[in-house]
Amino acid sequence: MIQVATVVAEALEAGRAVVALESTVLTHGLPRPRNLELGRALERVVREHGAIPATIGVLDGALVVGIDAAQMERLAAGPAAKASPWNLAALVAAGRDAGTTVATTLHAAAAAGIRAFATGGIGGVHPEPFDESADLAALARYPVVTVCAGAKSVLNVPATIERLETAGVPVLGWRSDRLAGFHVPLTDLPLAARVESAAEVARAFEAHRRLGLPGGVLVSHPVDDGLDPTDLARWLEQARADVKALGVRGKDLTPALLAALAERSRGATVDVNVRLLEANARLAADVAVALTAPHAEGTP
Ligand code: PSU
Ligand code: MN
């Protein structure tokens, strides 16, 4: 039921660098037509940095690793559902189209043997009422390096980092000692480990695996020229009130908050989101290349 595109299967077979990309950001994270432009741009960035992109999505009920141009257009145009691990089977059984969240993308990437993945911001713990993303459990479960810009700003970020700790997910600060803040470069949350190069990320991931620890590692990549924290706090307060008035809950919550933020900031949050996604794709490609180097995959 998982279809791996020929170009991706051949690249993996040949030991070449491959980067997984998610598609919920295309179906639910960004407005049209920027979603499709971004989907194409991310694949281009990965190729320019020496790796093969594999955007993952659900088409006619098939979980596809490495969607083609027409499939990307179709997902970006919609309508498409949002596939998390808890609703994936039902969507597949019904033959639906869907974007894959970080959690579902990790599942498919791991099944295909892909070791590097780029997203924007991971899901996590929402403020009241209780709601916690399946992304956290998936990060703790699948052996993949995920490059992100921290957790999405709409979340309870301190609680999210605590949950990652409990789950045993190492968070590596890219050239920084604090967690990245998604729309803003940095939070004030300290990280246990700092990395300066893609080779260092690859070595940390290999150490994690050789120790027999389950799951992957998360790279926290701060955005350049992020939003002003005071502006973001104001827009966030407004966006939360907008979404509360709509009574949105569950899997519709994150997309609704991102859309409300985009509206309140007149597109400023979308501009930063696009830039950080491209930067993360670049870094994930460098990590994927480093993971193919002999020192990274050698015997213990
Ligand atoms: N990063 C972005 N934009 C997004 C997402 C991530 O910059 O839209 C998506 C990811 O697919 C992530 C999902 O897995 O939002 C989280 O949704 P939830 O909180 O319902 O698990
Ligand atoms: Mn949820």
Side-chain angles (χ1 to χ4, degrees):
M1 274 186 180
I2 303 183
Q3 291 177 8
V4 183
T6 309
V7 296
V8 175
E10 285 176 359
L12 289 166
E13 186 69 27
R16 293 195 55 197
V18 177
V19 172
L21 298 165
E22 59 140 318
S23 51
T24 291
V25 69
L26 307 180
T27 57
H28 291 75
L30 294 169
R32 284 182 212 118
R34 290 193 78 177
N35 60 344
L36 179 58
E37 290 163 17
L38 188 267
R40 290 170 173 158
L42 293 183
E43 293 203 342
R44 195 166 56 237
V45 164
V46 169
R47 277 194 207 95
E48 283 168 3
H49 286 77
I52 301 293
T55 303
I56 294 174
V58 179
L59 279 298
D60 287 328
L63 181 53
V64 182
V65 179
I67 60 173
D68 63 23
Q71 290 171 323
M72 184 181 286
E73 274 177 41
R74 186 164 134 188
L75 283 183
K82 174 176 164 183
S84 277
W86 52 269
N87 66 349
L88 177 64
L91 292 169
V92 164
R96 298 275 303 278
D97 284 3
T100 52
T101 61
V102 167
T104 307
T105 305
L106 279 168
H107 171 76
I114 300 172
R115 296 281 180 238
F117 167 37
T119 183
I122 59 162
V125 181
H126 284 271
E128 292 294 315
F130 182 83
D131 183 340
E132 186 175 313
S133 176
D135 291 357
L136 300 179
L139 289 163
R141 179 166 182 183
Y142 299 107
V144 175
V145 177
T146 298
V147 178
C148 70
K152 278 190 283 283
S153 315
V154 299
L155 299 167
N156 179 340
V157 181
T160 300
I161 203 86
E162 288 299 329
R163 293 296 274 161
L164 287 169
E165 259 184 52
T166 305
V169 178
V171 184
L172 311 176
W174 179 258
R175 298 178 181 168
S176 56
D177 300 304
R178 285 178 288 147
L179 181 70
F182 194 58
H183 292 122
V184 301
L186 289 171
T187 65
D188 57 6
L189 298 163
L191 295 177
R194 170 186 176 122
V195 286
E196 305 292 337
S197 68
E200 239 181 291
V201 174
R203 283 198 295 274
F205 177 62
E206 284 309 315
H208 188 82
R209 291 180 62 196
R210 285 181 197 165
L211 286 163
L213 291 163
V217 307
L218 192 60
V219 179
S220 156
H221 187 205
V223 70
D224 288 330
D225 301 318
L227 297 177
D228 177 76
T230 322
D231 287 339
L232 180 64
R234 189 176 69 251
W235 293 327
L236 203 48
E237 197 180 323
Q238 294 167 338
R240 286 209 175 102
D242 295 346
V243 168
K244 200 170 179 186
L246 293 171
V248 180
R249 294 188 70 166
K251 72 179 184 346
D252 300 328
L253 184 58
T254 301
L257 283 164
L258 291 175
L261 257 185
E263 200 170 307
R264 288 299 189 168
S265 70
R266 296 169 197 248
T269 55
V270 176
D271 292 340
V272 179
N273 205 344
V274 164
R275 280 199 292 110
L276 66 86
L277 280 156
E278 290 183 0
N280 292 349
R282 206 153 52 227
L283 180 52
D286 290 346
V287 169
V289 169
L291 284 168
T292 64
H295 72 265
E297 290 282 355
T299 46

